[in-house]
Amino acid sequence: MGGRGEMRLIISDLERDERRRLFPQPLAETIWLEEEGPIHHCLGCFGCWVKTPGVCVIRDQYGDMGEMLSKCTEVIIISHCCYGGFSPFVKNVLDRSISYLHPYFTIRNGRMHHRRRYKNHFHLQVWFYGEDITVKEKETAEKLVKANAINMDASDYSVAFVRHIAEMEGRIR
Amino acid sequence: MKIALINGSPKRKESASGLVLEIFKAFVAKDDNQIYEFHFDQPQVRKEEITLLADCDLLLLAFPLYVDGIPSHLLHCLRQLEGAFRAPGGKEIMVYTIVNCGFYEDAHNELAIAMMKNWSERAGLKWGQGLAIGGGGMLPFLKSIPLGRGPFKKLKPAFAQLASHALNRSSGETIFFTPAFPRFLYKLAGEIGWRQAVKANGLRSGDLFLRK
């Protein structure tokens, strides 16, 4: 993994073949997080806050998400739009990422959120794909990305929708 | 009426979702109502559970808010159910949802409720109503403070309204509830709780700040 604040992370639910078609050349300073092995869902145990602070107690390959996010200047999410949110795999990765934050509360934008554990701020860029995303789902998804950006104290965020994966070609560099 | 109460918490026991389901159950367990209880703590629903659910008149799902949305294991279950419910010839099933979050403000749950509405539409079910509960860290006190008293004064009418809509198979606007308790004290109590929890694991309170 790179040093603090140098890395770009792409969390994606694309099939490997789809990804290779979209990104034939490797992207610089980029780590791809895809469904490559079994991923356990978050158990809600808060072990990543009070047993092994900063590290998930489930030791599959998604157990160090907090550390990974702490090294990013940019986080890109490519996800099928599922009911106005992320697909189960992408959401699973995000659920397993709360060690990036500190359990203590802070007030941000007038509402309670978690305090940061790390100092980096990343730009959050989200691409939702799906052929039949409804108007309501789009509306929910836009609000969701904004809420996620505030929760993770991102420096900035953007959200885009495409009907087909191929429409993303050349737009993520 | 056949009522399905679904606990969507990944916690096997002592979940806040289980607690709110018990409260709701007391409001609807009457007359000829048949109550079926489910716990979706894994990312899949069993075949026999799907058959039972498809025969219910209403579903009430209760789950904790995870990263502004639905926990991933429950999303898997919802996708599975969507496919099953969309089969033609199914009966009209109403959907009610209770979402609780650890943040003080109830409004954080709004997006998860919107997602549940979107799911109902996709699955061909009819949306009933949502109840958004903030200050979820206080819910365990419901074991010692009666519903309708002190910080939970307004929770009783909230459940009554939700249950009334459910029993009449009608729809309503989302109900929002945050305990009547100052936010700064909730924040302070939360921090004390985290320090106690980390110490109980043999660590020091400063370890809460560890970075990897």
Side-chain angles (χ1 to χ4, degrees):
Chain A
M1 255 184 248
R4 297 262 182 244
E6 292 168 6
M7 199 177 81
R8 173 160 70 165
L9 175 68
I10 303 184
I11 305 167
S12 147
D13 61 8
L14 296 179
E15 297 288 329
R16 183 162 278 203
D17 288 352
E18 294 169 332
R19 193 251 274 194
R20 282 196 183 133
R21 222 175 23 247
L22 269 182
F23 304 97
Q25 304 301 325
L27 300 169
E29 299 283 336
T30 302
I31 287 187
W32 281 86
L33 203 62
E34 299 165 301
E35 194 166 7
E36 280 178 297
I39 176 168
H40 204 289
H41 62 276
C42 173
L43 299 171
C45 69
F46 297 124
C48 61
W49 284 344
V50 298
K51 280 185 187 160
T52 53
V55 177
C56 179
V57 295
I58 305 166
R59 298 317 296 158
D60 58 11
Q61 57 181 314
Y62 306 91
D64 295 311
M65 283 305 304
E67 181 192 11
M68 201 180 270
L69 288 169
S70 78
K71 293 172 177 169
C72 291
T73 47
E74 191 172 17
V75 174
I76 300 175
I77 295 175
I78 302 172
S79 172
H80 178 252
C81 188
C82 185
Y83 317 129
F86 300 109
S87 64
F89 168 72
V90 170
K91 184 61 177 29
N92 204 339
V93 172
L94 295 177
D95 288 351
R96 295 279 304 280
S97 296
I98 62 164
S99 63
Y100 177 61
L101 299 169
H102 190 283
Y104 283 4
F105 293 130
T106 187
I107 306 301
R108 208 176 290 141
N109 293 28
R111 281 191 193 174
M112 189 173 273
H113 293 278
H114 285 291
R115 190 172 155 168
R116 16 179 71 258
R117 180 183 302 277
Y118 295 98
K119 287 183 178 168
N120 72 312
H121 290 265
F122 54 77
H123 171 85
L124 177 66
Q125 187 186 144
V126 179
W127 292 80
F128 283 110
Y129 66 88
E131 285 181 36
D132 60 348
I133 307 172
T134 66
V135 173
K136 282 180 193 165
E137 286 171 341
K138 252 187 192 178
E139 199 182 293
T140 310
E142 278 170 349
K143 287 181 186 168
L144 172 71
V145 177
K146 182 180 179 186
N148 285 167
I150 296 171
N151 247 338
M152 292 187 278
D153 208 9
S155 56
D156 199 4
Y157 73 94
S158 66
V159 54
F161 298 89
V162 292
R163 280 177 63 81
H164 304 284
I165 292 163
E167 291 168 46
M168 285 185 274
E169 207 170 328
R171 293 168 73 183
I172 302 172
R173 294 170 203 279
Chain B
M1 191 153 59
K2 291 180 179 174
I3 300 173
L5 303 181
I6 305 169
N7 184 343
S9 170
K11 288 185 186 171
R12 296 237 164 109
K13 48 187 182 177
E14 305 275 312
S15 70
S17 303
L19 208 62
V20 296
L21 280 175
E22 280 303 313
I23 296 171
F24 183 81
K25 191 174 153 185
F27 279 87
V28 295
K30 50 187 171 187
D31 305 325
D32 295 332
N33 294 333
Q34 291 168 260
I35 312 283
Y36 298 91
E37 295 178 71
F38 301 85
H39 194 163
F40 292 174
D41 60 352
Q42 295 299 317
Q44 62 272 326
V45 187
R46 294 198 312 271
K47 242 183 179 176
E48 56 270 29
E49 289 180 314
I50 295 176
T51 310
L52 269 174
L53 287 165
D55 193 39
C56 283
D57 298 287
L58 71 91
L59 316 179
L60 180 107
L61 290 103
F63 61 86
L65 185 75
Y66 270 28
V67 195
D68 299 301
I70 300 168
S72 71
H73 75 284
L74 184 57
L75 259 183
H76 276 289
C77 298
L78 294 176
R79 287 249 285 225
Q80 203 183 334
L81 290 178
E82 181 199 330
F85 286 146
R86 279 174 72 178
K91 63 203 272 191
E92 188 182 74
I93 301 173
M94 301 290 297
V95 179
Y96 300 85
T97 299
I98 304 173
V99 189
N100 78 86
C101 69
F103 295 135
Y104 182 80
E105 300 86 7
D106 45 31
H108 285 283
N109 301 305
E110 216 169 0
L111 295 173
I113 288 175
M115 287 175 208
M116 286 303 297
K117 272 189 203 176
N118 296 335
W119 170 74
S120 304
E121 205 161 303
R122 288 231 173 234
L125 312 180
K126 197 173 171 208
W127 177 251
Q129 191 172 35
L131 168 57
I133 299 178
M138 286 186 71
L139 286 173
F141 290 105
L142 274 167
K143 288 175 189 161
S144 48
I145 304 172
L147 187 71
R149 301 286 289 274
F152 304 114
K153 194 178 171 190
K154 289 185 177 167
L155 192 55
K156 195 174 180 179
F159 271 102
Q161 194 197 137
L162 185 72
S164 164
H165 277 295
L167 293 172
N168 292 307
R169 293 174 52 80
S170 54
S171 306
E173 292 294 314
T174 299
I175 310 162
F176 292 93
F177 170 81
T178 289
F181 191 76
R183 185 168 76 173
F184 80 96
L185 284 179
Y186 181 81
K187 183 173 177 283
L188 202 67
E191 291 177 3
I192 293 169
W194 292 120
R195 285 196 288 274
Q196 286 172 342
V198 81
K199 283 179 187 168
N201 287 316
L203 303 172
R204 294 168 307 154
S205 53
D207 291 336
L208 285 170
F209 292 84
L210 283 175
R211 291 175 183 164
K212 208 183 167 214

